[in-house]
Amino acid sequence: MNSYVYLILAILGEVGATSALKASHGFSKPWPSLACVLGYGISFYFLSLTLKTLPIGIAYAIWAGVGIVLTAAIGYVVFGQKLDVAAMLGIALIVAGVLTIQLFSGAGSH
């Protein structure tokens, strides 16, 4: 399977786990707590497969950057968290950084 497919699965696992972590209320709710642990396990498993072919710096930058953006979006939509102008600017810079790595850096090619 393509390393970018593994990376997407790792990102989705991390975002789901982080969202479940919020919903677990400090691990006091069992189902979100279980989802959190499973999600992080899935995330790290697929990230480890990604790292077989992609450089760690590139894979981690994409994993973290996309994870931040998706988690912020879920926080806004699901948990009603507000994003001010500074937060949106910061998220835009993260997106710009991930796009710069993908479009212009040769470091990510394998």
Side-chain angles (χ1 to χ4, degrees):
M1 196 178 296
N2 184 310
S3 59
Y4 284 100
V5 172
Y6 291 142
L7 186 55
I8 290 167
L9 293 172
I11 291 166
L12 293 175
E14 188 271 333
V15 170
T18 301
S19 300
L21 184 60
K22 168 73 174 157
S24 78
H25 295 282
F27 287 105
S28 65
K29 295 187 174 185
W31 291 114
S33 298
L34 179 62
C36 177
V37 172
L38 290 174
Y40 282 127
I42 289 167
S43 179
F44 289 132
Y45 172 73
F46 283 110
L47 185 60
S48 74
L49 296 179
T50 301
L51 296 178
K52 287 182 177 183
T53 55
L54 288 181
I56 189 169
I58 300 301
Y60 189 77
I62 295 168
W63 179 77
V66 174
I68 289 167
V69 171
L70 292 177
T71 301
I74 288 171
Y76 179 79
V77 172
V78 175
F79 298 110
Q81 298 171 343
K82 303 298 178 214
L83 296 172
D84 60 14
V85 173
M88 289 187 286
L89 177 61
I91 290 170
L93 289 171
I94 292 167
V95 170
V98 170
L99 288 173
T100 299
I101 290 169
Q102 283 301 106
L103 298 174
F104 302 111
S105 175
S109 52
H110 46 304

